[in-house]
Every structure is written in C-alpha cells, then in structure tokens.
C-alpha cells in the first residue's frame, strides 16, 4: 500500500519574510485539503523563532508549521507525527535551508 507523499516545505525562519519563500508557501496553499507541513529550520539563527513561526501559522492556518534546528536537534520530535512506517515525505526547499542536514539528523548521522 503506497501513501500519497506529504509535502514538507523546508525553509529558514528569516526566509519566510522574504519574497523568495513565497513560491514555497503558495505550493502549500495549493494543497488545501491535503496534509502538509512547513518546517522552519535553522531556528538557532533566528532572533525570535516563535514569532516567525506564528507569522507563518497565521498565513497558513491549514498547514502544520514546525520550528526546528536540525543542526542542534531542537524541535525534531514534532516531526514524529509524519515519520510513520509506509509514509512518504517530500522535502522541498531552496538550496541552503538545511534539507540534507535535517535528513542526516533524522537518520542519526552527523555529516
């Protein structure tokens, strides 16, 4: 049994206020009625990651918004709901937002 992939947009907290993040946000808007998650990575570099996550939650009330630091492992337990046997997650995001770091951390690898 194959599940439909969960779209997971990965970005940095400060990127969400920039126009560069708008295309990713619009992708999730198009997924209305489908499960989706917006992962704000690199929260260790943000002055106020809770405020940044709150801003995204207000713009995307139908999408889970998770604030994490893949580098330090902070907030990754919130991803457990998406990491179930047989579930596919499609990580998408701009270069440099930490997609590989996130995957490596979830696999228990330090690269």
């Amino acid at each position: 049994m194959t599940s439909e992939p969960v779209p997971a947009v990965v970005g940095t907290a400060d990127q969400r206020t920039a126009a560069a993040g708008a295309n990713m946000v619009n992708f999730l808007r198009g997924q209305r009625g489908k499960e989706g998650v917006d992962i704000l990575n690199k929260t260790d570099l943000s002055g106020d990651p809770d405020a940044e996550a709150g801003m995204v939650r207000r713009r995307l009330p139908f999408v889970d918004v998770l604030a994490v630091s893949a580098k330090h492992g902070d907030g990754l337990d919130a991803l457990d709901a998406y990491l179930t046997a047989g579930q596919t997650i499609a990580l998408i995001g701009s270069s440099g937002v930490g997609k590989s770091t996130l995957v490596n951390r979830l696999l228990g690898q330090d690269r």
Side-chain angles (χ1 to χ4, degrees):
M1 181 175 178
T2 305
S3 65
E4 186 172 329
V6 172
V9 174
V10 182
T12 58
D14 61 346
Q15 180 189 14
R16 290 296 164 213
T17 60
N23 288 337
M24 296 298 175
V25 172
N26 285 333
F27 171 78
L28 283 179
R29 285 185 196 275
Q31 298 299 309
R32 185 177 295 272
K34 296 183 180 179
E35 189 175 18
V37 61
D38 192 3
I39 303 169
L40 300 180
N41 192 21
K42 299 188 179 185
T43 56
D44 52 300
L45 302 178
S46 174
D48 192 349
D50 292 332
E52 294 287 348
M55 181 175 58
V56 176
R57 284 184 187 104
R58 286 188 295 280
R59 290 189 341 202
L60 301 170
F62 54 91
V63 174
D64 286 340
V65 177
L66 309 178
V68 305
S69 171
K71 181 178 180 179
H72 298 289
D74 300 332
L76 296 181
D77 55 335
L79 287 169
D80 288 348
Y82 298 96
L83 302 176
T84 59
Q87 179 62 61
T88 302
I89 297 177
L91 293 178
I92 59 174
S94 299
S95 177
V97 296
K99 298 178 301 294
S100 295
T101 303
L102 178 61
V103 169
N104 289 333
R105 174 63 78 161
L106 293 171
L107 292 174
Q109 299 176 2
D110 187 19
R111 292 185 186 186

